Amino acid sequence: MTESNEPAPTPHRLVVVGGGVAGLDIATRLAGQTAGDHPLAITLIDREPAYVWKPMLHTVAAGTSDAGAQETVFAAHALGHGFRFEFGEAVAIDRERRRVSLAALKIDGEEIAAARSIDYDTLVLAVGSRADDFGTPGVADHCARIDCRSDAIAFNERLRVELVKSVATGRPLTIGIVGGGATGVELAAELIETTATLEHYGAKDASENLRVVLIEAGPRLLGAFPEKVADEARHKLEQLGVMVQTGNRVTGVEAEGFVMAEGEPIAAQLMVWAAGVTAPPLLDTLDLERSRNGQLVVGATLSAPGDSRIYALGDCANPRLPNRDAPVPTTAQAASQQADYLCRHLPALIADGAAPPASYRDFGSLVSLGGYDAYGTLGRFGLFKGGFIRGKVAQLGHAMLYRRYQARLHGLGRGSLLWLTDTLNRRVRTRVKLS
């Protein structure tokens, strides 16, 4: 038998920036695959060491779930699935050199890795979005955000301190939330559930001393949801004691609370900004077409029209899809569909540029108010025709979205074990994070 003298095919360097619901899915499912004759060498970059499913961040912030029990540790996941994880924040992209620059990595102020760069042949941007303060004075200084795992953990630490102070002194605690989208609405309900649980554990008058204010500049809550869902959610929140204020804009934030466009200021000890959606500053380093919200405009195959080596999906992308005039919503549902498209077609796109166009199908919307209620609509196709659901059915549907994500990421067997573990933990652990 004669040995071949042909060199091994050169690996194709696929770099994925952002380990959220879309980026982690792509790195996991494409690891070990080839693009034509070239094996894919995949690197995932993220500024967090672990990922928590973004629609669950508000529960981590409120303490009704524990980040440690729900997170996927990138380094361990990468080792088990055959790709490389690079811990750090991507701060610039050089399209000419095909290079991503990472800032120096610091933990507790100590530099543990110098600034560095990673070269790519194909780049996938899945960097998500962040709340948009619209230039409102004082937001950066006084408001917490719930944009990522570390934000949620940091807010929960502050919340626990303030709750202990309130219980110990009997002093009322006001938490103000700006933004009546899904994050703001769901966080408000979880905060009520947190104090109710604290009372169950003996913290007398915890609920009586908590005041939650939800502020929305638009005419109603949940502007992206059907009006019936928004009306039901508002009614339930007000039943729970949440003060809901719509049609009024925050014009400034001070240490003592919010300055309003109309009416008296709203005092608050803890303030959260969950309004608006804008793309991360990394995209500012690209001289490519952007949307009004800073998202990267991409075509029917999710590649940037000005650079076929760059793809974007999820909240940071603005796909221009055939036969669709409306923008694709910035939801986990949309990001998952786009990730599934690239998992199926990116190797072929890299090899010869051929693939059918991406599409988006609305499977409905769900909003969960903790253990109190849930509301949603079904997709307008097949037998569903956009029907309204609520209560246990909607809560189950909301929970199944997370379980489906776990099975997709870890496989059905391990995903089922994680579900079982979560179920057992809920029976043996405290219902809120107390330490």
Side-chain angles (χ1 to χ4, degrees):
M1 181 180 294
T2 59
E3 294 185 3
S4 172
N5 293 322
E6 293 183 8
T10 305
H12 185 94
R13 298 167 298 182
L14 173 60
V15 174
V16 181
V17 183
V21 65
L24 185 56
D25 194 15
I26 289 171
T28 301
R29 293 171 61 190
L30 290 184
Q33 294 195 29
T34 60
D37 295 329
H38 299 274
L40 292 176
I42 299 176
T43 300
L44 176 68
I45 300 171
D46 201 279
R47 63 191 180 95
E48 296 275 345
Y51 174 67
V52 174
W53 195 51
K54 191 169 183 178
M56 187 176 276
L57 288 178
H58 66 281
T59 67
V60 174
T64 51
S65 67
D66 185 353
Q70 304 297 337
E71 66 190 14
T72 298
V73 178
F74 288 127
H77 190 79
L79 180 64
H81 290 83
F83 63 90
R84 173 189 168 202
F85 171 62
E86 190 72 29
F87 183 23
E89 182 177 7
V91 292
I93 298 167
D94 185 334
R95 292 201 297 123
E96 184 177 348
R97 296 178 179 175
R98 299 204 296 272
R99 181 171 294 169
V100 180
S101 297
L102 277 65
L105 180 59
K106 296 181 179 181
I107 297 180
D108 296 330
E110 181 181 352
E111 183 173 310
I112 62 173
R116 56 216 186 276
S117 61
I118 296 174
D119 295 336
Y120 67 85
D121 296 309
T122 296
L123 179 66
V124 174
L125 297 173
V127 289
S129 64
R130 56 181 183 151
D132 189 354
D133 63 16
F134 308 105
T136 306
V139 173
D141 294 327
H142 303 297
C143 288
R145 299 175 190 256
I146 315 294
D147 291 333
C148 62
R149 168 186 167 276
S150 58
D151 287 346
I153 292 171
F155 177 78
N156 180 252
E157 290 173 351
R158 290 183 58 197
L159 173 66
R160 294 202 309 272
V161 170
E162 293 298 330
L163 284 173
V164 168
K165 288 181 182 177
S166 177
V167 170
T169 64
R171 176 178 60 85
L173 170 63
T174 299
I175 303 175
I177 304 168
V178 179
T183 298
V185 166
E186 293 182 331
L187 176 61
E190 294 289 342
L191 290 170
I192 298 296
E193 186 167 353
T194 294
T195 53
T197 305
L198 288 176
E199 283 194 343
H200 174 76
Y201 289 130
K204 187 178 179 182
D205 297 329
S207 294
E208 292 295 323
N209 289 331
L210 178 71
R211 179 172 178 251
V212 178
V213 183
L214 180 60
I215 305 166
E216 167 56 41
R220 66 176 176 89
L221 300 179
L222 300 171
F225 285 68
E227 191 167 353
K228 183 173 178 58
V229 173
D231 290 345
E232 292 283 354
R234 176 169 186 158
H235 179 67
K236 175 56 73 173
L237 287 176
E238 290 177 336
Q239 275 189 334
L240 294 172
V242 176
M243 175 185 169
V244 179
Q245 187 168 136
T246 55
N248 199 359
R249 183 170 56 88
V250 174
T251 59
V253 183
E254 299 175 346
E256 297 78 19
F258 301 108
V259 179
M260 306 304 297
E262 299 179 12
E264 295 294 319
I266 297 176
Q269 287 79 47
L270 281 179
M271 292 171 278
V272 180
W273 193 274
V277 175
T278 189
L282 172 66
L283 299 190
D284 295 338
T285 66
L286 287 171
D287 55 342
L288 295 170
E289 185 181 357
R290 311 267 297 283
S291 73
R292 181 175 56 86
N293 292 333
Q295 300 159 307
L296 187 64
V297 172
V298 294
T301 60
L302 305 184
S303 66
D307 192 332
S308 61
R309 293 179 177 271
I310 295 180
Y311 294 79
L313 72 165
D315 291 3
C316 73
N318 185 297
R320 305 290 170 85
L321 303 181
N323 303 316
R324 183 178 177 85
D325 297 326
V328 175
T330 52
T331 62
Q333 175 188 166
S336 291
Q337 291 184 37
Q338 293 162 22
D340 187 60
Y341 171 84
L342 286 183
C343 287
R344 286 185 286 117
H345 297 296
L346 187 55
L349 286 166
I350 292 171
D352 55 25
S359 61
Y360 169 72
R361 172 172 280 186
D362 183 3
F363 289 101
S365 304
L366 288 167
V367 60
S368 174
L369 303 188
Y372 298 110
D373 214 336
Y375 314 95
T377 55
L378 301 172
R380 296 181 177 276
F381 58 89
L383 300 174
F384 300 135
K385 306 302 182 187
F388 176 76
I389 57 173
R390 68 172 299 170
K392 297 296 184 183
V393 173
Q395 287 176 325
L396 177 62
H398 195 272
M400 290 305 297
L401 292 175
Y402 179 49
R403 300 308 171 186
R404 183 172 177 267
Y405 155 75
Q406 285 185 310
R408 178 184 172 114
L409 189 63
H410 301 288
L412 183 59
R414 180 166 179 157
S416 299
L417 288 174
L418 289 170
W419 190 352
L420 175 61
T421 300
D422 289 344
T423 302
L424 294 174
N425 281 339
R426 282 197 300 272
R427 292 183 177 276
V428 299
R429 290 185 174 180
T430 55
R431 284 154 48 193
V432 295
K433 186 172 175 60
L434 300 174
S435 61

